[in-house]
Amino acid sequence: SCLISQELLHSLSQCEAPFRAIPYHALKKYGKLPRSDAQLGILGSQLPPGMKVAFLSHCWLRPWHTQEECEANGHRWANGAHPDDEHDTKFNLLIAGIEQVAAERDWSLDSMAVWL
């Protein structure tokens, strides 16, 4: 596994667009993929030592900014663009994947966070 030093996390947290991650339990409690305005992310420099961060690069499944455009593409409107579908498919897959990796590596879910 690749571990990032606390010094690097602190340096990344000082950038114009600072590194933020969402603790696993906060993400699971939220119950869906958050938009950045959900304010769930914490600065990398504030993550406890030994925290493991899963990096998920993805495209938004409902990127449309109008209800008409969203519905024309066969999706339910979420009052704005949204990273997941109306069934939270991507969120459920992400949670299952993190839980599987944690179990396989014998990591506590308390020591897991996610960068989206």
Side-chain angles (χ1 to χ4, degrees):
S1 68
C2 178
L3 298 177
I4 298 175
S5 72
Q6 289 301 113
E7 295 81 24
L8 180 57
L9 282 176
H10 179 73
S11 138
L12 291 171
S13 298
Q14 303 305 311
C15 298
E16 191 172 317
F19 171 77
R20 294 179 179 274
I22 304 168
Y24 165 79
H25 289 298
L27 178 62
K28 187 166 183 178
K29 181 179 179 182
Y30 192 69
K32 60 184 176 183
L33 281 183
R35 294 168 43 109
S36 60
D37 57 10
Q39 302 290 315
L40 295 178
I42 61 172
L43 288 173
S45 60
Q46 295 173 344
L47 292 172
M51 183 68 81
K52 293 144 184 84
V53 179
F55 287 79
L56 175 68
S57 177
H58 65 100
C59 60
W60 284 37
L61 297 180
R62 290 184 284 174
W64 306 286
H65 295 280
T66 67
Q67 182 173 357
E68 179 181 69
E69 194 176 21
C70 183
E71 291 173 350
N73 282 281
H75 291 276
R76 190 171 62 225
W77 179 237
N79 295 320
H82 197 276
D84 209 346
D85 65 17
E86 46 275 347
H87 305 290
D88 297 317
T89 303
K90 195 185 306 184
F91 171 79
N92 291 318
L93 188 60
L94 173 63
I95 293 299
I98 290 170
E99 290 175 353
Q100 181 175 344
V101 168
E104 288 174 0
R105 296 181 180 244
D106 199 28
W107 291 342
S108 166
L109 289 170
D110 294 335
S111 72
M112 300 289 297
V114 181
W115 176 90
L116 297 168

